[in-house]
Amino acid sequence: MTIQITVRVDPDKCQGHARCSALAPELFRLDEFGNAQERQSACHDPDLIDKAYIARANCPEEAIIITER
Ligand code: F3S
């Protein structure tokens, strides 16, 4: 069975701490205001899935939302 997740940044919670883009640059980038945006929302690569969870664990604002599908 292939695990797939969807990654999203809640723009109302993100305060631009930039840990997500440092830990998982494949998944997150910063916009012109320094807030995170998803580079890709759907993800099934196991290494990227691990990175997504690490990024979520390191976001002080709990702004990263991961949904398993
Ligand atoms: Fe924002 Fe959290 Fe990343 S505050 S920039 S989603 S580490």
Side-chain angles (χ1 to χ4, degrees):
M1 191 183 80
T2 305
I3 297 172
Q4 185 170 338
I5 62 167
T6 302
V7 184
R8 213 169 62 74
V9 177
D10 183 338
D12 293 329
K13 288 187 174 178
C14 177
Q15 297 295 321
H17 292 286
R19 295 185 187 170
C20 56
S21 56
L23 291 164
E26 303 92 337
L27 295 174
F28 304 98
R29 69 176 198 89
L30 302 181
D31 67 15
E32 63 270 36
F33 303 108
N35 293 323
Q37 293 180 336
E38 315 87 8
R39 281 188 193 276
Q40 58 183 80
S41 55
C43 168
H44 54 77
D45 180 313
D47 290 338
L48 285 185
I49 291 174
D50 285 348
K51 284 189 170 191
Y53 280 103
I54 290 169
R56 184 180 72 172
N58 281 277
C59 174
E61 306 298 336
E62 299 184 350
I64 296 172
I65 301 155
I66 297 175
T67 309
E68 291 185 17
R69 313 198 307 161

Coordinates of all heavy atoms in Angstrom, one line a residue:
M1 N 0.8 -1.2 0.0 CA 0.0 0.0 0.0 C 0.9 1.2 0.0 O 1.8 1.3 0.8 CB -0.9 0.0 1.2 CG -2.0 1.0 1.2 SD -3.0 1.1 2.7 CE -1.9 2.0 3.8
T2 N 0.6 2.2 -0.9 CA 1.3 3.4 -0.9 C 0.7 4.5 0.0 O -0.5 4.7 -0.1 CB 1.4 3.9 -2.4 OG1 1.9 2.9 -3.2 CG2 2.3 5.2 -2.5
I3 N 1.5 5.0 0.8 CA 1.0 6.1 1.7 C 1.1 7.4 0.9 O 2.2 7.7 0.3 CB 1.8 6.2 3.0 CG1 1.6 4.9 3.8 CG2 1.4 7.4 3.8 CD1 2.5 4.8 5.0
Q4 N 0.1 8.2 1.0 CA 0.2 9.5 0.4 C -0.3 10.6 1.4 O -1.2 10.3 2.1 CB -0.7 9.6 -0.9 CG -0.5 10.9 -1.6 CD -1.2 10.9 -3.0 OE1 -1.4 9.8 -3.6 NE2 -1.5 12.0 -3.5
I5 N 0.3 11.7 1.4 CA -0.1 12.8 2.3 C -0.4 14.0 1.5 O 0.1 14.2 0.3 CB 0.9 13.1 3.4 CG1 2.2 13.6 2.8 CG2 1.1 11.9 4.3 CD1 3.2 14.2 3.8
T6 N -1.2 14.9 2.1 CA -1.4 16.2 1.5 C -0.8 17.2 2.6 O -1.1 17.1 3.8 CB -2.9 16.5 1.3 OG1 -3.3 15.5 0.4 CG2 -3.1 17.9 0.7
V7 N 0.0 18.1 2.1 CA 0.6 19.1 3.0 C 0.1 20.5 2.7 O 0.0 20.9 1.5 CB 2.2 19.1 2.8 CG1 2.8 20.1 3.8 CG2 2.7 17.8 2.9
R8 N -0.3 21.2 3.8 CA -0.8 22.6 3.6 C -0.2 23.5 4.7 O 0.0 23.0 5.8 CB -2.3 22.5 3.7 CG -3.1 23.5 2.8 CD -4.6 23.2 2.8 NE -5.2 23.2 4.1 CZ -5.5 24.4 4.7 NH1 -5.2 25.5 4.2 NH2 -6.1 24.3 5.9
V9 N -0.1 24.7 4.3 CA 0.3 25.7 5.3 C -0.9 26.6 5.6 O -1.5 27.1 4.7 CB 1.5 26.6 4.9 CG1 1.8 27.7 5.9 CG2 2.7 25.8 4.6
D10 N -1.2 26.7 6.9 CA -2.4 27.6 7.2 C -1.8 29.1 7.2 O -1.1 29.4 8.1 CB -2.9 27.2 8.6 CG -4.1 28.1 9.0 OD1 -4.3 29.2 8.5 OD2 -4.8 27.6 9.9
P11 N -2.2 29.9 6.3 CA -1.7 31.2 6.2 C -2.1 32.1 7.3 O -1.4 33.1 7.6 CB -2.3 31.8 4.8 CG -3.5 30.9 4.6 CD -3.2 29.6 5.2
D12 N -3.1 31.8 8.1 CA -3.5 32.6 9.2 C -2.6 32.3 10.4 O -2.5 33.1 11.3 CB -5.0 32.3 9.6 CG -5.9 32.7 8.5 OD1 -5.6 33.7 7.8 OD2 -7.0 32.1 8.3
K13 N -2.0 31.1 10.4 CA -1.1 30.8 11.6 C 0.3 31.0 11.3 O 1.1 31.3 12.2 CB -1.3 29.3 11.9 CG -2.6 29.0 12.6 CD -2.6 27.5 13.0 CE -3.9 27.2 13.8 NZ -3.9 25.8 14.2
C14 N 0.8 30.9 10.0 CA 2.2 31.0 9.7 C 2.7 32.4 10.1 O 2.1 33.4 9.7 CB 2.4 30.8 8.2 SG 4.2 31.0 7.7
Q15 N 3.8 32.5 10.8 CA 4.4 33.7 11.2 C 5.8 33.9 10.6 O 6.6 34.8 11.1 CB 4.5 33.8 12.7 CG 3.1 33.9 13.4 CD 2.3 35.1 13.1 OE1 2.9 36.2 13.0 NE2 1.0 34.9 12.9
G16 N 6.2 33.0 9.7 CA 7.4 33.2 8.9 C 8.7 32.7 9.7 O 9.8 33.3 9.5
H17 N 8.5 31.7 10.5 CA 9.7 31.2 11.2 C 10.7 30.5 10.3 O 11.9 30.3 10.7 CB 9.3 30.3 12.4 CG 8.6 31.0 13.5 ND1 9.2 31.8 14.4 CD2 7.2 31.0 13.8 CE1 8.3 32.3 15.2 NE2 7.1 31.9 14.9
A18 N 10.2 30.1 9.2 CA 11.1 29.5 8.1 C 11.8 28.2 8.4 O 12.7 27.8 7.7 CB 12.2 30.6 7.7
R19 N 11.4 27.6 9.5 CA 12.0 26.3 9.8 C 11.5 25.2 8.8 O 12.3 24.3 8.4 CB 11.6 25.8 11.2 CG 12.1 26.7 12.3 CD 11.8 26.2 13.6 NE 12.2 27.2 14.7 CZ 11.9 27.0 15.9 NH1 11.2 26.0 16.3 NH2 12.3 28.0 16.8
C20 N 10.3 25.4 8.3 CA 9.8 24.4 7.3 C 10.6 24.4 6.0 O 11.0 23.4 5.5 CB 8.3 24.7 7.0 SG 8.0 26.4 6.4
S21 N 10.9 25.6 5.5 CA 11.6 25.7 4.3 C 13.1 25.3 4.4 O 13.8 24.8 3.5 CB 11.5 27.1 3.7 OG 12.0 28.1 4.6
A22 N 13.6 25.5 5.7 CA 15.0 25.0 5.9 C 15.1 23.5 6.0 O 16.0 22.9 5.6 CB 15.5 25.7 7.2
L23 N 14.1 22.9 6.7 CA 14.1 21.5 6.9 C 13.6 20.7 5.7 O 14.0 19.5 5.5 CB 13.2 21.1 8.1 CG 13.8 21.6 9.5 CD1 12.7 21.5 10.5 CD2 15.0 20.7 9.9
A24 N 12.7 21.3 4.9 CA 12.1 20.6 3.8 C 11.9 21.5 2.6 O 10.8 21.9 2.2 CB 10.8 19.9 4.2
P25 N 13.0 21.9 2.0 CA 12.9 22.9 0.9 C 12.2 22.3 -0.3 O 11.7 23.1 -1.1 CB 14.4 23.2 0.6 CG 15.2 22.1 1.1 CD 14.4 21.6 2.3
E26 N 12.1 21.0 -0.4 CA 11.4 20.4 -1.5 C 9.9 20.6 -1.4 O 9.2 20.6 -2.3 CB 11.6 18.9 -1.6 CG 13.1 18.5 -1.7 CD 13.7 18.3 -0.3 OE1 13.3 18.8 0.7 OE2 14.8 17.6 -0.3
L27 N 9.5 20.9 -0.1 CA 8.0 21.0 0.1 C 7.5 22.4 0.4 O 6.3 22.7 0.1 CB 7.7 20.1 1.3 CG 7.9 18.6 1.2 CD1 7.6 17.9 2.5 CD2 6.9 18.1 0.1
F28 N 8.4 23.3 0.9 CA 8.0 24.6 1.3 C 8.9 25.7 0.7 O 10.1 25.5 0.6 CB 8.0 24.7 2.8 CG 7.2 23.7 3.5 CD1 7.8 22.6 4.1 CD2 5.8 23.8 3.6 CE1 7.0 21.6 4.7 CE2 5.0 22.9 4.3 CZ 5.6 21.8 4.8
R29 N 8.3 26.8 0.4 CA 9.1 27.9 0.0 C 8.5 29.1 0.7 O 7.4 29.1 1.2 CB 9.1 28.2 -1.5 CG 7.7 28.6 -2.1 CD 7.8 28.9 -3.5 NE 6.7 29.7 -3.9 CZ 6.7 31.0 -3.9 NH1 7.7 31.7 -3.5 NH2 5.6 31.7 -4.3
L30 N 9.3 30.2 0.8 CA 8.8 31.4 1.4 C 8.4 32.4 0.4 O 9.0 32.6 -0.7 CB 9.9 32.0 2.3 CG 10.5 31.1 3.4 CD1 11.5 31.9 4.2 CD2 9.4 30.6 4.3
D31 N 7.3 33.1 0.6 CA 6.8 34.1 -0.3 C 7.5 35.4 0.0 O 8.4 35.5 0.8 CB 5.3 34.2 -0.3 CG 4.8 34.8 1.1 OD1 5.6 35.3 1.8 OD2 3.5 34.7 1.3
E32 N 7.1 36.5 -0.7 CA 7.8 37.7 -0.6 C 7.7 38.4 0.8 O 8.5 39.3 1.1 CB 7.4 38.7 -1.7 CG 5.9 39.1 -1.6 CD 5.0 38.2 -2.4 OE1 5.3 37.0 -2.5 OE2 4.0 38.7 -3.0
F33 N 6.8 37.9 1.6 CA 6.6 38.4 2.9 C 7.3 37.5 4.0 O 7.2 37.7 5.2 CB 5.1 38.5 3.3 CG 4.4 39.4 2.3 CD1 3.5 38.9 1.4 CD2 4.6 40.8 2.3 CE1 2.8 39.7 0.5 CE2 3.9 41.6 1.4 CZ 3.0 41.0 0.5
G34 N 7.9 36.4 3.5 CA 8.6 35.5 4.4 C 7.7 34.4 5.0 O 8.1 33.7 5.9
N35 N 6.5 34.3 4.5 CA 5.6 33.3 4.9 C 5.7 32.1 4.0 O 6.0 32.2 2.8 CB 4.2 33.8 5.0 CG 4.0 34.9 6.1 OD1 4.6 34.8 7.1 ND2 3.2 35.9 5.8
A36 N 5.4 30.9 4.6 CA 5.6 29.7 3.9 C 4.4 29.4 2.9 O 3.2 29.7 3.2 CB 5.7 28.5 4.8
Q37 N 4.7 28.8 1.8 CA 3.8 28.2 0.9 C 4.2 26.8 0.5 O 5.4 26.5 0.5 CB 3.7 29.1 -0.4 CG 3.2 30.5 -0.2 CD 3.1 31.2 -1.5 OE1 3.9 30.9 -2.4 NE2 2.3 32.2 -1.6
E38 N 3.2 26.0 0.2 CA 3.6 24.6 -0.3 C 4.2 24.7 -1.7 O 3.6 25.4 -2.5 CB 2.4 23.7 -0.3 CG 1.5 23.8 0.9 CD 0.4 24.9 0.8 OE1 0.3 25.5 -0.3 OE2 -0.3 25.2 1.8
R39 N 5.2 24.0 -1.9 CA 5.7 23.8 -3.3 C 4.9 22.7 -4.0 O 4.7 22.8 -5.2 CB 7.2 23.3 -3.3 CG 8.2 24.4 -3.1 CD 9.5 23.9 -3.3 NE 10.6 24.8 -2.8 CZ 11.0 25.8 -3.5 NH1 10.6 26.0 -4.7 NH2 12.0 26.5 -3.0
Q40 N 4.6 21.7 -3.2 CA 3.7 20.6 -3.7 C 2.8 20.2 -2.6 O 3.3 20.1 -1.5 CB 4.6 19.5 -4.3 CG 5.5 18.8 -3.2 CD 6.4 17.8 -3.8 OE1 7.4 18.0 -4.5 NE2 5.9 16.5 -3.6
S41 N 1.6 19.9 -2.9 CA 0.7 19.6 -1.8 C 0.6 18.1 -1.7 O 0.6 17.6 -0.5 CB -0.7 20.2 -2.1 OG -1.2 19.8 -3.3
A42 N 0.5 17.3 -2.8 CA 0.4 15.9 -2.6 C 1.8 15.3 -2.7 O 2.7 15.8 -3.4 CB -0.4 15.3 -3.8
C43 N 2.0 14.3 -1.9 CA 3.4 13.8 -1.7 C 3.3 12.3 -1.3 O 2.6 11.9 -0.4 CB 4.0 14.6 -0.6 SG 5.5 14.0 0.1
H44 N 4.1 11.4 -2.0 CA 4.1 10.0 -1.7 C 5.5 9.4 -1.5 O 5.7 8.3 -1.2 CB 3.3 9.2 -2.7 CG 3.7 9.4 -4.1 ND1 4.8 8.8 -4.6 CD2 3.1 10.1 -5.1 CE1 4.9 9.2 -5.9 NE2 3.9 10.0 -6.2
D45 N 6.5 10.2 -1.7 CA 7.9 9.8 -1.5 C 8.1 9.7 0.0 O 7.9 10.6 0.7 CB 8.8 10.9 -2.1 CG 10.3 10.5 -1.9 OD1 10.7 10.1 -0.8 OD2 11.1 10.6 -2.9
P46 N 8.6 8.5 0.5 CA 8.7 8.3 1.9 C 9.7 9.3 2.5 O 9.4 9.7 3.7 CB 9.3 6.8 2.0 CG 8.9 6.2 0.7 CD 8.8 7.3 -0.3
D47 N 10.8 9.6 1.9 CA 11.7 10.6 2.4 C 11.0 12.0 2.6 O 11.2 12.7 3.6 CB 12.9 10.7 1.6 CG 13.8 9.5 1.6 OD1 13.7 8.7 2.6 OD2 14.6 9.2 0.6
L48 N 10.2 12.4 1.6 CA 9.6 13.6 1.7 C 8.5 13.6 2.8 O 8.2 14.6 3.4 CB 9.0 14.0 0.3 CG 10.0 14.5 -0.7 CD1 9.2 15.0 -1.9 CD2 10.8 15.6 -0.2
I49 N 7.8 12.5 2.9 CA 6.8 12.4 3.9 C 7.4 12.5 5.3 O 6.9 13.3 6.2 CB 6.1 11.0 3.8 CG1 5.2 11.0 2.6 CG2 5.2 10.8 5.1 CD1 4.5 9.7 2.2
D50 N 8.6 11.9 5.5 CA 9.3 12.1 6.8 C 9.6 13.6 7.0 O 9.5 14.1 8.1 CB 10.6 11.3 6.8 CG 10.4 9.8 7.0 OD1 9.3 9.4 7.3 OD2 11.4 9.0 6.8
K51 N 10.1 14.2 5.9 CA 10.5 15.6 6.1 C 9.3 16.5 6.4 O 9.3 17.5 7.1 CB 11.1 16.1 4.8 CG 12.6 15.7 4.6 CD 13.2 16.4 3.4 CE 14.7 16.2 3.3 NZ 15.3 17.1 2.3
A52 N 8.1 16.1 5.8 CA 6.9 16.9 6.1 C 6.6 16.8 7.6 O 6.2 17.8 8.2 CB 5.8 16.4 5.2
Y53 N 6.7 15.6 8.1 CA 6.4 15.5 9.6 C 7.4 16.2 10.4 O 7.0 16.8 11.5 CB 6.2 14.0 9.9 CG 4.9 13.4 9.5 CD1 4.8 12.6 8.4 CD2 3.8 13.7 10.3 CE1 3.6 12.1 8.0 CE2 2.5 13.2 9.9 CZ 2.4 12.4 8.8 OH 1.2 11.9 8.4
I54 N 8.6 16.1 10.0 CA 9.7 16.9 10.8 C 9.4 18.4 10.8 O 9.5 19.1 11.8 CB 11.1 16.5 10.2 CG1 11.4 15.1 10.6 CG2 12.1 17.5 10.8 CD1 12.7 14.6 9.8
A55 N 9.0 18.9 9.6 CA 8.7 20.3 9.4 C 7.5 20.7 10.3 O 7.6 21.7 11.0 CB 8.4 20.6 8.0
R56 N 6.5 19.8 10.3 CA 5.3 20.1 11.1 C 5.7 20.1 12.6 O 5.3 21.0 13.4 CB 4.2 19.1 10.9 CG 3.0 19.4 11.6 CD 1.9 18.4 11.4 NE 2.1 17.1 12.1 CZ 1.3 16.1 12.2 NH1 0.1 16.2 11.6 NH2 1.6 15.0 12.8
A57 N 6.5 19.2 13.0 CA 6.9 19.1 14.4 C 7.8 20.3 14.8 O 7.8 20.7 16.0 CB 7.7 17.8 14.7
N58 N 8.4 21.0 13.9 CA 9.3 22.1 14.2 C 8.7 23.5 13.9 O 9.3 24.5 14.2 CB 10.6 22.0 13.4 CG 11.6 21.0 14.0 OD1 12.3 21.3 14.9 ND2 11.5 19.7 13.6
C59 N 7.5 23.5 13.5 CA 6.8 24.8 13.3 C 6.2 25.3 14.6 O 5.3 24.6 15.2 CB 5.7 24.7 12.2 SG 4.8 26.2 12.1
P60 N 6.7 26.4 15.1 CA 6.3 26.9 16.4 C 4.8 27.3 16.4 O 4.2 27.4 17.5 CB 7.2 28.0 16.7 CG 8.3 28.0 15.7 CD 7.8 27.2 14.6
E61 N 4.3 27.6 15.3 CA 2.9 28.1 15.2 C 1.9 27.0 14.9 O 0.7 27.3 14.7 CB 2.8 29.2 14.1 CG 3.8 30.3 14.3 CD 3.6 31.1 15.5 OE1 2.5 31.1 16.1 OE2 4.6 31.7 16.0
E62 N 2.4 25.8 14.7 CA 1.5 24.6 14.3 C 0.7 25.0 13.1 O -0.5 24.7 13.0 CB 0.6 24.2 15.5 CG 1.4 23.8 16.7 CD 0.5 23.3 17.9 OE1 -0.7 23.5 17.8 OE2 1.1 22.8 18.8
A63 N 1.4 25.6 12.1 CA 0.8 26.1 10.9 C 0.7 25.0 9.8 O 0.1 25.3 8.7 CB 1.5 27.3 10.4
I64 N 1.5 23.9 10.0 CA 1.5 22.9 8.9 C 0.5 21.8 9.1 O 0.5 21.2 10.2 CB 3.0 22.4 8.8 CG1 3.9 23.5 8.4 CG2 3.0 21.2 7.8 CD1 5.4 23.1 8.5
I65 N -0.3 21.6 8.1 CA -1.4 20.6 8.3 C -1.1 19.5 7.3 O -0.9 19.7 6.1 CB -2.7 21.2 7.9 CG1 -3.0 22.5 8.8 CG2 -3.8 20.2 7.9 CD1 -3.9 23.5 8.1
I66 N -1.0 18.3 7.9 CA -0.7 17.1 7.0 C -2.0 16.2 7.1 O -2.5 15.9 8.2 CB 0.5 16.3 7.6 CG1 1.7 17.2 7.4 CG2 0.7 15.0 6.8 CD1 3.0 16.5 8.0
T67 N -2.4 15.8 6.0 CA -3.6 14.9 5.9 C -3.1 13.6 5.2 O -2.5 13.6 4.1 CB -4.7 15.5 5.1 OG1 -5.0 16.8 5.6 CG2 -6.0 14.6 5.1
E68 N -3.3 12.5 5.8 CA -3.0 11.2 5.2 C -4.1 10.7 4.4 O -5.3 10.8 4.8 CB -2.6 10.1 6.3 CG -1.4 10.5 7.1 CD -1.0 9.4 8.1 OE1 -1.5 8.3 8.0 OE2 -0.1 9.7 8.9
R69 N -3.8 10.1 3.2 CA -4.8 9.7 2.3 C -4.7 8.2 2.0 O -3.6 7.7 2.1 CB -4.8 10.5 1.0 CG -4.7 12.0 1.3 CD -5.1 12.9 0.2 NE -4.4 12.6 -1.0 CZ -4.9 13.1 -2.2 NH1 -6.0 13.7 -2.2 NH2 -4.2 12.9 -3.3
Ligands
F3S1 FE1 5.5 29.4 8.8 FE2 5.9 27.5 10.5 FE3 7.2 27.6 8.3 S1 5.6 29.7 11.0 S2 7.4 29.7 7.7 S3 5.0 27.3 8.5 S4 8.0 27.0 10.3

